[in-house]
Amino acid sequence: MAEVFTFPDSFPFTPLDVSTLLVFIVTFVLAARFLKKVKNPGNLPPSVPGGWPLLDHLPTLVSTNPRLQFDEWARELGDIYRVKALGDDIYVVSGYTTIKEMMEKEELSTRRDRFMSAAMGGGHGVNGYLTSVGEGRIEVTCWRRMAASQTLATVPQSISGYSEQPFDVSSDLTTAAGNIICALVFGKRFDYGDTRFQYLQTTMKDFGADLAKYKFPFIHYIPIVQDGAEGLRFHSKKLQQFIREEIDQHRLNLNPGDPRDFMDHCLLQLDQQDGGGTWLNEDNVVYIIQDLFVAGTDTTAATLTWALLYMVLYPDVQKKVRENDYCNLYIHTF
């Protein structure tokens, strides 16, 4: 007599739940296979071959050192190639000359992820602001003038405190980069023990920890799974509130004849519009400054971390950099 399969009494799902899940999986697999058969335009860079069903090359990136893996793929496929992860194409650019050429192209000067954009302000940040056509713009020279006075002088002091013991410099560089952005935007550096600065650093750290979670678009279509952008929205609101408090403080001491920082330039532009402008409003200012922190803190720290690594690995280059009068101001004490 044939046995009839039954679910255990403790099984938390009903047969209907299981059937629905199976239908979802089968539909997802079929859709993925169909989409893979769609012919790509002929001008796309080469794609990394192979990969796992549905997950593509994500298991490879998780199980290996992704930097070394990217370098290996670059040697096989060239300076520009594509790698898939969960159905998304990741475009990888390698090599100094290729990266420099890419950074100089106007077409690649902006980027926006629609999920992240919705979580952080709907695309009204730096990209939307700087790419406005036919509208007023705050002069970029104000950035150059303010940035010229900022250095990483606090980093050597932090390093000297380790007394020649092994340490990870990335944390110190992240803190220093965040404080330099504060100096550019708010016109002041915070003491590292300042409670507001610690609050800002914690918020940025938590934001970064949640940044990877939203990157799985398919979870937005599964009702029982938590919204992947919820953490981004929560930490983004905390960061925006911090920025609005600084705006309120700046308005109290705003001097039209002597703007102190980027926020002053923005507020003066708002006053000139007298509330009638459409290209810039206070919400835009908040989103712009938020973008500067989110896009500028970890990226700056990571770049400087790699730069220090190369200084260690190539002492002859380090010597040349030390001999450069302009750079000597920044790295002499290293």
Side-chain angles (χ1 to χ4, degrees):
M1 182 176 180
E3 294 184 3
V4 178
F5 176 80
T6 59
F7 291 104
D9 294 337
S10 60
F11 194 69
F13 302 105
T14 66
L16 180 60
D17 293 331
V18 176
S19 299
T20 303
L21 179 61
L22 290 175
V23 170
F24 172 80
I25 293 175
V26 171
T27 304
F28 190 84
V29 171
L30 292 176
R33 287 183 175 275
F34 173 77
L35 291 175
K36 280 192 173 184
K37 292 181 180 180
V38 177
K39 186 176 181 180
N40 290 321
N43 59 346
L44 291 179
S47 178
V48 176
W52 295 68
L54 301 181
L55 300 177
D56 296 306
H57 293 92
L58 183 62
T60 303
L61 295 175
V62 172
S63 61
T64 63
N65 185 322
R67 298 185 183 95
L68 297 179
Q69 184 61 69
F70 285 143
D71 184 58
E72 180 181 336
W73 283 332
R75 289 196 297 269
E76 296 175 0
L77 301 171
D79 285 346
I80 305 177
Y81 61 89
R82 292 175 295 147
V83 56
K84 278 188 173 292
L86 296 174
D88 285 342
D89 273 329
I90 301 173
Y91 290 81
V92 183
V93 182
S94 306
Y96 170 78
T97 303
T98 306
I99 292 177
K100 183 175 183 295
E101 182 181 352
M102 179 194 71
M103 297 295 290
E104 292 174 346
K105 288 186 176 295
E106 183 68 24
E107 299 88 343
L108 301 175
S109 63
T110 63
R111 62 189 186 276
R112 177 62 61 187
D113 184 288
R114 62 189 181 92
F115 291 109
M116 189 172 180
S117 173
M120 296 177 56
H124 299 291
V126 171
N127 288 325
Y129 153 69
L130 291 179
T131 56
S132 297
V133 178
E135 301 282 0
R137 290 172 59 171
I138 299 173
E139 293 184 2
V140 177
T141 52
C142 77
W143 278 108
R144 297 171 181 166
R145 183 169 60 252
M146 292 184 292
S149 63
Q150 307 303 323
T151 70
L152 292 172
T154 57
V155 177
Q157 298 173 9
S158 300
I159 292 177
S160 63
Y162 292 109
S163 302
E164 299 185 0
Q165 296 298 314
F167 64 94
D168 182 359
V169 74
S170 59
S171 177
D172 295 306
L173 291 174
T174 300
T175 301
N179 216 0
I180 287 177
I181 294 177
C182 287
L184 292 171
V185 174
F186 303 141
K188 61 183 178 183
R189 289 175 179 268
F190 288 93
D191 182 85
Y192 286 176
D194 185 277
T195 55
R196 277 185 61 77
F197 183 68
Q198 291 179 347
Y199 174 85
L200 175 63
Q201 289 294 98
T202 301
T203 301
M204 290 299 302
K205 182 179 179 180
D206 293 339
F207 184 98
D210 277 326
L211 189 59
K213 297 180 181 178
Y214 92 99
K215 199 57 183 172
F216 302 97
F218 63 85
I219 69 175
H220 296 279
Y221 304 101
I222 306 177
I224 63 174
V225 178
Q226 185 179 12
D227 182 0
E230 183 177 4
L232 288 180
R233 283 193 292 268
F234 175 74
H235 298 304
S236 180
K237 288 180 180 179
K238 291 174 61 177
L239 179 57
Q240 290 173 17
Q241 180 59 35
F242 183 96
I243 296 170
R244 292 186 189 278
E245 292 171 1
E246 290 293 329
I247 288 178
D248 292 339
Q249 290 296 320
H250 269 62
R251 287 193 183 280
L252 296 176
N253 304 301
L254 184 62
N255 182 355
D258 184 25
R260 301 157 294 180
D261 46 55
F262 181 71
M263 183 173 284
D264 274 0
H265 281 273
C266 290
L267 294 179
L268 290 175
Q269 182 63 48
L270 290 178
D271 290 343
Q272 292 175 11
Q273 293 179 174
D274 195 23
T278 58
W279 73 279
L280 184 68
N281 54 48
E282 186 167 313
D283 285 342
N284 293 143
V285 174
V286 173
Y287 298 142
I288 291 166
I289 296 175
Q290 174 183 249
D291 273 4
L292 293 174
F293 276 104
V294 172
T297 303
D298 286 339
T299 52
T300 300
T303 301
L304 292 173
T305 301
W306 280 98
L308 291 180
L309 172 62
Y310 284 122
M311 293 295 99
V312 173
L313 295 178
Y314 300 96
D316 56 324
V317 177
Q318 180 183 159
K319 181 180 179 181
K320 293 179 181 179
V321 174
R322 285 178 177 273
E323 293 171 352
N324 186 303
D325 292 336
Y326 179 79
C327 297
N328 195 48
L329 173 66
Y330 297 91
I331 69 166
H332 179 69
T333 52
F334 282 109

